[in-house]
Amino acid sequence: MLKSKTFMKKTRSGGILKIVREHYLRDDITCGCKGCEECKQESPVLQLEPVLQSSLCASPHYLLPDTNVLLHQIDILEDPVIQNVILLQTVLQEVRSRSAPVYKRVRDIINNSEKYFYTFTNEHHRETYIEQEQGETSNDRNDRAIRTAAKWYNNHIKKSENVADIKVLLITNDRKNKEKAVDEGIVAYTCEEYIKSLVANPELVDRLASVSDEKNEIESGKLIFIEHIPLSKLQQGIKSGTYLQGTFRASRDNYLEATVWVHGDGAEQKEIILQGLRNINRALHEDIVAVELLEKESWVAPSSVVLQDDGEADDIESTEEKEKMLKTGVQGTAKPSGKVVGIIKRNWRPYCGMLAKSQIKESTRHLFTPADRRIPRIRIETRQASTLEGQRIIVAIDGWPRNSRYPNGHFVKNLGTAGDKETETEVLLLEHDVPHQPFSQTVLSFLPKMPWGITPQDMKHRIDLRHLYVCSVDPPGCTDIDDALHCRELENGNLEVGVHIADVSHFIRPGNALDQESSNRGTTVYLCEKRIDMVPELLSSNLCSLRSEVDRLAFSCIWELTHDAKIVNTKFTKSVINSKASLTYAEAQMRIDSPTMNDEITTSLRLLNKLAKILKKQRIDNGALTLSSPEVRFHMDSETHDPIDLQTKELKETNSMVEEFMLLANISVAQKIYDEFPEYALLRKHPAPPPANYDILVKAARSKDLEIKTDSAKALADSLDKAESPEFPYLNTLLRILATRCMMQAVYFCSGMDNDFHHYGLASPIYTHFTSPIRRYADVIVHRLLAVAVGADSTYPDLTDKHKQAEICKNINFRHKMAQYSQRASVAYHTQLFFKTKGIVTEEGYILFVRKNAIVVLIPRFGLEGTVFFEEKDKRKPLLVYNDEIPSLKVENTTFYMFDKVKVKITLDASNLQHQKIRMALVEPEIPGFNSLSDQRNTNGEPTVKKSKLEK
């Protein structure tokens, strides 16, 4: 049966286009019920005997939810208890258009065979399809289509004796839709009514989302916030310039202050300050908001006051008192200030944290405190408060009424006991949005079948390099070996150097589920005791890992070089290699230094090391920066896996050797793919920092009678090289650490979407990532581009679509940043575990920064950084004098300058279970009359322990 719809459409050029859409209706679409005698179906989904027991419906039954139930009650539907659900095509189409994340979660439920969720294509079924009536809105038409399908199901099932007793219940929170359904003889309940009727599963009530319509809200108590302007009016206001659109960024240190970063290059203000609860107006961190600028006389300066939200649930008076405190903590000149007038896009996610149990006995309303200090507390209802106390839990936000001090939400999941290592690692990964669920069977189905071997087809576009003396050099315990090297003398006297990279793109084909999962993950995440792989272990630690003594597929970059490291020619080819040795950096260094070892691998390493030193000198002469950042290594107890020692890592010559050839390969490949695909190359750039970023570095050096020039990367590199002090050897390292803090973040981009390709830190006009495809998705794309460029593989549409490439870059930039933050958080957590067993530790350190009432101290031995605040013992007026020009802080008669040596006492403050801190107190020099207090960021923020690597 065929339906057709005809309508006229006006084109951009002003012409009229007639469009005819055909809609086919069928009568062979099955109901999905096991035991149905009417439908001829091979694999029905819905069970013959549904197991849910409801006090509202004694009969066995299936559930048929409408769109809003799917959108707002997805946490309920994901629970293993909820089974045998009919999802209509109408509902799925609406969900897909309104929320991509919820739609993905729904698809995952459908694919779970243990949930018995059946998709019914009602829009193409002859008896359930309906036309939109004249004057009927799309929403009303869809509600009617849902009721039509529900009625059809109940009538259809009655025809089969096996399933005649089964009822189909319509679940809807729309009052009008429910009333119409009941009038039409359909059994219908709200989601809350039905869930509360499941007497055997009372815990499900806690997972109900409390959804309220702001327009119809029953106001109780005084209104705290102004109403948000509707989206249509916001868009008009943004277009006219009345409002500005930007990303809301909450403060970690002051819950009454935030900033909005305005979108677009044409905006006059890049940053707008918001102060006060009402001006923030229910915006949450990372929301896209519309702001209205205040009159200039109402502009404010950023406050230096630290304010944590510790008031009662609706203690507005306390908040108003704190807002007055902001006025006393201002520093600097007033900046553009504004207020949030509407929300363009919410960026809510499930939040990890802990329950603050209500003091009122028998109360079911409690406050949840998120681990992330940028998120306000959330009010939830739960009957499990006693059980959940002291646990890490997940809570989702449902809404934020105008008369409520906090948003409303619901309990989602209990992660485990706070402080437990597994639980804290799970929190860390969730809070940094690191995908870490096991790879699905769909993804794993695209892996090669074992036993695997190299076939003649695999060799079609490859050269055989198994005869070469190739070796890999990696950290101890490395199983995901991306790269291997070789070097040999040629007959003409020159040297041949090869960088061989795992051919991951051979195994991950474009567009399949394995590719999509790898693209979403973006990068492998390395925690202190755990690795979250970007690709399944069969690839990462086996088939793609360039282990010794096994044949492996590779993508090789091979140069002919003179002995003074001049490139004669470059060749790119897919290959097959057989590594002769998997070495650690220490083992490779030992071979190079050993006077007795002269085998082929050792000879190759010595040649590589010699060339690497020349290449490094060339880079530095061109202006490449050699920066520094403390990187720590934990030594774990073999039984408890707790850290028993903590020390900064030592870098050997072989670290630099490998790095130089990885850099050279990345630069060579970047130029090749750009030459072949000037519009579609995936590249990596490092923007030059704004001059103001260097102010603190220049001032700090000047205080030590040293000059740092920042006109160019080369000027900076040269002046850092000269900034030496014979009596203070560590000074140069401190300056390089500080220079690192001045840098911008390196990012991936598509060459057709940008004009600035320069990599500031490496002083290279072009750069990309090619050398780590096992752990970076950017490298997989680069491999595909290079393979097409050398004729080793075929292209596909998305590879030559610069907008698609830009989307990939956006995701991998985000994933890379989150991976860095989670790695640092893992180091911070393990540092806390280390000091938990050590008690009080006294250690020497250096002042990295001075503040108005504090000093920031770096402990080189531990790579640890903490802030020591000064507070007077006898409450007299503190004698603190801060000098911004020569960064220093005078406390009583002692003046602290940047890079001064101090001695501090380090302890773990575990008084707050959720936000444990490393505290530092000053030991030397001792200042009579003052207490020194310390603060170090907890594991859920960006911790002060730094862990980074120079670009590879």
Side-chain angles (χ1 to χ4, degrees), residues 774-791:
I774 293 176
R775 62 182 180 89
R776 290 188 305 231
Y777 188 74
D779 303 53
V780 175
I781 296 294
V782 169
H783 275 229
R784 289 173 180 170
L785 288 164
L786 185 61
V788 176
V790 300

Side-chain angles (χ1 to χ4, degrees), residues 718-775:
D718 289 345
S719 53
L720 282 172
D721 287 341
K722 293 173 186 173
E724 298 280 358
S725 173
E727 64 275 8
F728 188 4
Y730 198 67
L731 175 62
N732 190 263
T733 302
L734 288 168
L735 286 167
R736 292 181 191 276
I737 290 171
L738 199 56
T740 306
R741 308 291 173 89
C742 302
M743 295 297 135
M744 305 291 283
Q745 181 74 40
V747 291
Y748 298 104
F749 68 101
C750 176
S751 58
M753 306 289 279
D754 208 323
N755 296 318
D756 177 21
F757 293 9
H758 190 73
H759 197 294
Y760 179 81
L762 297 173
S764 177
I766 195 165
Y767 193 67
T768 194
H769 273 162
F770 161 76
T771 54
S772 293
I774 293 176
R775 62 182 180 89

